[in-house]
Amino acid sequence: MQPEEPVTVTIAVPTFHRPAELGALLPMLLAHATEAGAPYPTTVLVVDNDPEGSGKAVVDALPDARARAVVESHPGISAVRNRALSEAGTRLLAFIDDDELPHDGWLARLLDTWSSSGRPAAVSGRVVAEFRGELDAWLEAGSFYVRRRMPTGTPIDVAAAGNLLLDLEQVAAAGVRFADDLGLSGGEDTLFSRQLYSRGYRMVWCDESAITDVVPPERMTRRWVLQRAWSHGNSTSTIRIRLAPTPLRRALARLTAVVGGCVRVVGGAGRWLAGRATGSLRHQARGARAVWRGGGMVSGAFGVVYQEYARTGRAGEAAGADA
């Protein structure tokens, strides 16, 4: 189903110190813009978080006027995503990260689903991992890189921003932005989408729209997976507390996070021990991940925000009382 009148679209690419990856990605995105055709006039916007403009220089060297770049010097992914919301100037905005690669029909399938599903506020697509090297058997057994799938059109209440189409008119009406204080911790997209949903705006899934998340060797280690589990647990507690509307609800959210985190730690330790006893790599891997995720949940309940993407070397910092 195509719109009766053209609907303008921006493909937004947050980037930071990945000029080579960006240079390979941009021609693909311009091809997707061409494929969208007249019903969806599409441009590409790169938001470069490098104050020196290493990503902007890549865009400026392109001969195609449909691609442009701006520099957002304030550090963190939230500032970059918010700059994209402000700069787009179109009805729709599709986020894709600079280390991701779109599959055939990526943008067209997002747009088709938005149109055929009654124009929801957001359409989220699928992510597939591709490894730059041989995956450790422990990591493979844990299925840590397998992302969710569901039928196209399924209503959802949370979405990641790596493959996400937003209706900016509805986003503006909802008054939702990406939380700046989560810009170096992650979880900003989870909070954004949950806030959008909680304010009555629809989001749906598109299984035909897929991107490849290129996993470099430094993210193919047990240490990285466990640290990511801690980070996700930390974000889960932080976001649950922040979404609570009253002081009493926030206190209950903190208590729930502590109890839930402790249950994960104990249960995960038991599963890990069972895995050691039986030789099951899956139980060992999933058990260890549960322990780390539970620890992150408890830390988040006590106001610590884990700065996974910190550029100052600090791993965490105390959050505000209501964070």
Side-chain angles (χ1 to χ4, degrees), residues 129-146:
E130 179 181 295
F131 304 104
R132 290 293 188 256
E134 185 176 353
L135 189 62
D136 179 90
W138 189 92
L139 297 176
E140 186 173 6
S143 302
F144 298 125
Y145 302 92
V146 178

Side-chain angles (χ1 to χ4, degrees), residues 9-14 22 25-34 41-47 59 62 64-70 88 90 94 96 106-107:
V9 183
T10 296
I11 301 173
V13 187
L22 183 63
L25 174 62
L26 286 172
M28 301 181 193
L29 298 183
L30 289 168
H32 281 274
T34 299
T42 302
T43 57
V44 177
L45 170 66
V46 172
V47 184
V59 181
L62 288 176
D64 198 318
R66 292 177 299 168
R68 63 187 179 95
V70 295
T90 54
I96 183 169
W106 161 70
L107 180 62

